[in-house]
Amino acid sequence: SQQGEEDPQALSIQEGENATMNCSYKTSINNLQWYRQNSGRGLVHLILIRSNEREKHSGRLRVTLDTSKKSSSLLITASRAADTASYFCATVAYNAGNNRKLIWGLGTSLAVNP
Amino acid sequence: NAGVMQNPRHLVRRRGQEARLRCSPMKGHSHVYWYRQLPEEGLKFMVYLQKENIIDESGMPKERFSAEFPKEGPSILRIQQVVRGDSAAYFCASSYSSGNEKLFFGSGTQLSVL
């Protein structure tokens, strides 16, 4: 079953602004991952943050993880029109054993207007 | 180093026909996952396979759907006697190890049932 929940469901901003998306989950996790999906395409991995990490950066992306609140945020700074896509968070449950499939949220649809 | 390859990109079937979707994982990857996605929705897990083994098929309907990942050749998702409700995008992903690592996605197969 899906356990991740992203908010907002949809976000529309102007080029140059920052975009923040949030993800909440329900069970203890081993790691949390963010993916991006352009319309009609497969997902592309953006960043992975482990349960013992609080913040991670990759280029214009900044991800935070608060395990006490079971939540994560993805910040895209200085957004560009090319950032327009859907963004998904996915979690791997802690000590999931051999079956470690990712649990996916429903995604945030981001539109960056030029 | 080719990424995850899915074919066909688009597949049109009439009700009652069979659909075969193929997925070649990235070189060196022995873990394959199939997902289904409806428009404006997130990913729905279907099945997780390793070479010659089905690890988790909890997301796959018990009837008409089957999946395999033989020792040689691509993974196949097979849908028998398709119905209109099977129309969706089907994505395949692969990973090097069992789920903690990031997934690499194919571009998907868009199945349309007439």
Side-chain angles (χ1 to χ4, degrees):
Chain A
S1 60
Q2 304 286 350
Q3 72 160 7
E5 291 183 10
E6 288 98 333
D7 80 271
Q9 285 189 321
L11 181 60
S12 181
I13 59 174
Q14 295 300 122
E15 214 167 16
E17 293 181 339
N18 295 341
T20 300
M21 289 159 269
N22 302 297
C23 169
S24 60
Y25 56 91
K26 295 177 182 173
T27 61
S28 296
I29 61 169
N30 182 291
N31 68 64
L32 183 145
Q33 303 177 31
W34 283 92
Y35 288 77
R36 163 198 168 121
Q37 183 181 32
N38 288 80
S39 180
R41 308 293 296 179
L43 280 72
V44 176
H45 181 269
L46 294 176
I47 199 162
L48 181 154
I49 186 165
R50 301 194 185 279
S51 59
N52 61 351
E53 297 176 308
R54 292 296 166 259
E55 189 171 309
K56 207 159 181 182
H57 297 254
S58 176
R60 293 183 297 111
L61 305 180
R62 174 179 165 242
V63 167
T64 62
L65 179 64
D66 187 334
T67 53
S68 67
K69 295 180 180 178
K70 291 187 169 59
S71 69
S72 172
S73 68
L74 171 66
L75 168 67
I76 304 174
T77 60
S79 62
R80 305 166 182 168
D83 294 329
T84 295
S86 292
Y87 292 82
F88 294 89
C89 71
T91 55
V92 176
Y94 180 77
N95 198 25
N98 195 39
N99 179 14
R100 296 177 181 170
K101 65 178 185 275
L102 292 173
I103 308 298
W104 295 87
L106 296 177
T108 292
S109 178
L110 172 66
V112 180
N113 306 303
Chain B
N1 185 15
V4 178
M5 304 300 290
Q6 285 188 253
N7 67 82
R9 188 79 174 89
H10 300 275
L11 182 60
V12 179
R13 284 289 178 266
R14 295 191 183 280
R15 280 179 297 172
Q17 290 184 321
E18 178 180 286
R20 278 183 176 245
L21 288 63
R22 294 175 185 77
C23 170
S24 295
M26 282 188 71
K27 188 176 180 180
H29 286 191
S30 59
H31 301 259
V32 166
Y33 308 78
W34 284 94
Y35 292 88
R36 170 189 161 112
Q37 186 179 38
L38 292 171
E40 309 303 323
E41 292 188 11
L43 293 175
K44 182 177 183 294
F45 168 79
M46 297 183 73
V47 61
Y48 163 35
L49 309 105
Q50 293 180 23
K51 281 285 186 182
E52 300 185 274
N53 288 305
I54 296 175
I55 306 301
D56 181 354
E57 56 183 346
S58 60
M60 205 156 65
K62 295 281 186 276
E63 297 179 355
R64 301 190 299 108
F65 286 72
S66 62
E68 62 177 14
F69 187 17
K71 188 176 180 181
E72 301 290 338
S75 175
I76 305 287
L77 179 66
R78 182 181 176 207
I79 310 173
Q80 295 177 291
Q81 299 172 350
V82 295
V83 300
R84 288 218 173 108
D86 296 332
S87 296
Y90 292 84
F91 289 97
C92 166
S94 72
S95 68
Y96 176 75
S97 64
S98 58
N100 268 352
E101 305 300 320
K102 64 185 184 182
L103 298 185
F104 293 82
F105 280 80
S107 294
T109 293
Q110 180 64 51
L111 173 64
S112 298
V113 180
L114 305 178

